[in-house]
Amino acid sequence: EIAHRHGARVVVDNTFATPIVQRPLALGADVVVHSTTKYINGHGTVIGGAVVTNDTVLMEEGIGSLIKFTGGVPSAFDCWLTNLGLKTLPLRMRQHVTNAMSVAGFLHTHPAVTATHYPGLTSHPGHEIAARQMDGFGAMLAFDLGSYEAAVRFLDHVRLCTLAVSLGNIDTLVEHPASMTHRVVDPQDRVAAGITDGLVRMSVGLEAAEDILADVAQALDR
Ligand SMILES: Cc1ncc(COP(=O)(O)O)c(C=O)c1O
């Protein structure tokens, strides 16, 4: 409402949530973007993206011509793989969300974890708004192990979870933002954004929840 009052458009990156969990156009957004590389394909087999809007003029004259002139067009094979993934998206998201809830609950009470960030936890500052506008809380979470060394030790010892910077895959992926995705960010800016040295990001996959929990537990005990 604030943006529209000032004549601005609202663009939402819905990659983490997917349309199964959250539908921003229905909530008043003008444009939704997705990295289809993530949950929509779901199997880590393509790199792609999607722009969705119900503003036909913006799509045809703005976004459509930009795509045409810059040539950002996926191959037929990548479209086929993405479409294959799309067919199981509702089923996958249901299990991703259930597994993430179990993992977040486990981490939240573990003595080696100083903070767990997941909107499904009532302690999360965004919990109420997420509960209002999302059908489930997604499967991306982060937790703090208190120090750079503790985070690295954890990541060195996971066996089922895979150390990788992507997300939204059928497999559980873990990464260390301070040394990987956000390494290029100024350390002070990182801390201001809540990206501490001990933070570990997890994209909870579709393995049996007890297997993920067992792997996380043994790596935390090292
Ligand atoms: C939330 C989000 N949006 C967009 C992107 C960009 O994705 P891609 O590399 O597939 O263009 C990423 C990549 O990590 C992401 O995490």
Side-chain angles (χ1 to χ4, degrees), residues 11-90:
V11 180
V12 176
D13 184 337
N14 204 37
T15 299
F16 278 24
T18 81
I20 305 305
V21 166
Q22 178 174 261
R23 291 163 294 280
L25 292 185
L27 295 166
D30 301 298
V31 179
V32 182
V33 294
H34 288 279
S35 166
T36 54
T37 311
K38 313 294 174 5
Y39 291 103
I40 290 184
N41 164 266
H43 300 73
T45 53
V46 301
I47 289 177
V51 185
V52 186
T53 179
N54 46 24
D55 182 338
T56 48
V57 175
L58 176 69
M59 186 49 103
E60 280 162 25
E61 292 173 11
I63 300 166
S65 57
L66 189 68
I67 292 170
K68 194 158 74 187
F69 292 129
T70 58
V73 178
S75 72
F77 185 58
D78 283 357
C79 292
W80 181 73
L81 285 172
T82 304
N83 199 35
L84 216 50
L86 195 56
K87 291 172 202 283
T88 56
L89 183 64

